[in-house]
């Protein structure tokens, strides 16, 4: 899968002014996290989840995104928060073990390639401290006719599923996105210890109801 599809910056820049994101933040999962914990929202968009965290008293918040327009909107809405535009994703300009918690909300869906997803998760593992928490929310493979036919259409146009995993598709407005099997997500997060997971129904950025999964996991603590 071409690297270009794993960083569709012009699509996300155009989306910055128009899209609303909705994956729900399940606050009970953060109940044990101190209010001054260093929290990174990777692929933060316009800062929606950071805004919710701030309203619940969290005070050490950082957002990172590939889209300069998303970061501009986020910074305008939240002048006191710290935001970073990623020039060479997934690389974060942060030392190892810099964060206590990393959120990854509806970002894997924007990164269709297996290898790009593996690099992204490895980078988040690097910047999390031992014992730190990863909270991911993303979309599962959908079983309805509309989705199954767009997975098949994309595979057909690209010479079969090959190394492009089943579940990649083109949206009506031109992004290449991916839905995931539970097995793939388990394999992708194999370096983390699972804590909890939940199935959620979300409205996608293009207004369709879809089934998502939220995963709470921990980077192994030092022994
Ligand atoms: C569907 S939006 C979700 C935004 C936010 N996490 C939320 O839930 O409100 C996906 C975001 O991921 C960003 N993104 C896409 N590919 C990325 C990548 N390779 N690295 C970092 N951010 C990326 C997009 O610019 C966009 O802001």
């Amino acid at each position: 899968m071409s690297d270009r599809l794993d960083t569709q910056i012009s699509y996300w820049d155009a989306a910055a002014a128009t899209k609303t994101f909705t994956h729900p933040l399940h606050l009970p999962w953060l109940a044990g996290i101190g209010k001054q914990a260093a929290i990174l929202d990777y692929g933060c968009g316009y800062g929606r989840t950071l805004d919710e965290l701030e309203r619940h008293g969290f005070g050490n918040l950082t957002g990172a995104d590939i889209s300069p327009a998303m970061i501009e909107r986020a910074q305008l809405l939240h002048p006191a928060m710290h935001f970073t535009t990623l020039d060479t994703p997934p690389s974060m300009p942060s030392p190892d073990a810099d964060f206590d918690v990393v959120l990854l909300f509806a970002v894997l869906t924007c990164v269709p390639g297996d290898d790009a997803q593996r690099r992204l998760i490895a980078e988040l593992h690097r910047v999390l401290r031992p014992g730190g928490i990863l909270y991911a929310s993303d979309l599962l493979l959908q079983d309805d006719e509309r989705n199954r036919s767009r997975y098949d259409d994309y595979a057909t146009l690209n010479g079969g599923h090959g190394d492009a995993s089943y579940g990649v598709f083109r949206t009506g407005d031109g992004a290449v996105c991916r839905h995931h099997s539970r097995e793939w997500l388990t394999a992708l997060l194999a370096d983390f210890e699972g804590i909890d997971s939940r199935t959620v129904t979300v409205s996608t950025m293009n207004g369709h109801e879809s089934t998502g999964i939220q995963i709470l996991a921990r980077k192994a603590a030092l022994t």
Side-chain angles (χ1 to χ4, degrees):
M1 176 131 343
S2 113
D3 282 356
R4 193 178 48 81
L5 292 179
D6 293 317
T7 51
Q8 303 170 79
I9 296 175
S10 51
Y11 177 87
W12 293 109
D13 273 347
T18 57
K19 302 284 186 192
T20 300
F21 307 129
T22 65
H23 286 229
L25 187 64
H26 187 54
L27 285 164
W29 277 1
L30 302 180
I33 306 291
K35 296 299 188 201
Q36 284 312 313
I39 302 182
L40 167 67
D41 186 4
Y42 184 95
C44 63
Y46 52 84
R48 176 185 68 94
T49 49
L50 292 170
D51 179 72
E52 193 171 346
L53 289 172
E54 186 178 56
R55 282 188 284 111
H56 284 85
F58 292 95
N60 185 355
L61 303 172
T62 299
D65 202 286
I66 52 161
S67 159
M70 287 285 181
I71 293 294
E72 194 180 331
R73 181 175 167 193
Q75 194 78 76
L76 210 62
L77 292 170
H78 308 289
M81 282 184 206
H82 179 245
F83 292 100
T84 302
T85 305
L86 299 173
D87 297 326
T88 54
S91 299
M92 281 288 303
S94 308
D96 295 355
D98 207 26
F99 294 99
D100 299 302
V101 178
V102 174
L103 301 187
L104 182 67
F105 268 47
V107 181
L108 291 175
T109 190
C110 318
V111 178
D114 287 4
D115 283 347
Q117 290 199 357
R118 286 193 195 98
R119 285 194 299 272
L120 193 164
I121 294 299
E123 178 65 354
L124 300 185
H125 191 273
R126 181 187 74 76
V127 299
L128 261 180
R129 70 164 168 79
I133 297 293
L134 174 70
Y135 178 179
S137 182
D138 222 287
L139 294 169
L140 290 168
L141 289 175
Q142 312 293 307
D143 198 28
D144 58 288
E145 175 56 28
R146 184 181 72 92
N147 274 296
R148 277 190 280 115
S149 73
R150 60 184 183 166
Y151 304 154
D152 287 339
D153 288 350
Y154 189 83
T156 305
L157 276 173
N158 290 279
H161 291 298
D163 65 344
S165 302
Y166 181 73
V168 179
F169 60 94
R170 188 173 288 278
T171 65
D173 58 358
V176 177
C177 291
R178 175 173 179 178
H179 293 163
H180 308 86
S181 68
R182 290 175 189 270
E183 294 72 25
W184 168 253
L185 293 172
T186 301
L188 188 64
L189 300 178
D191 286 344
F192 292 83
E193 299 164 355
I195 301 174
D196 207 347
S197 73
R198 59 197 287 263
T199 302
V200 289
T201 300
V202 294
S203 173
T204 69
M205 64 181 181
N206 290 329
H208 298 284
E209 201 166 270
S210 293
T211 304
I213 185 169
Q214 300 204 320
I215 299 170
L216 192 69
R218 180 183 289 114
K219 175 173 172 173
L222 293 175
T223 49

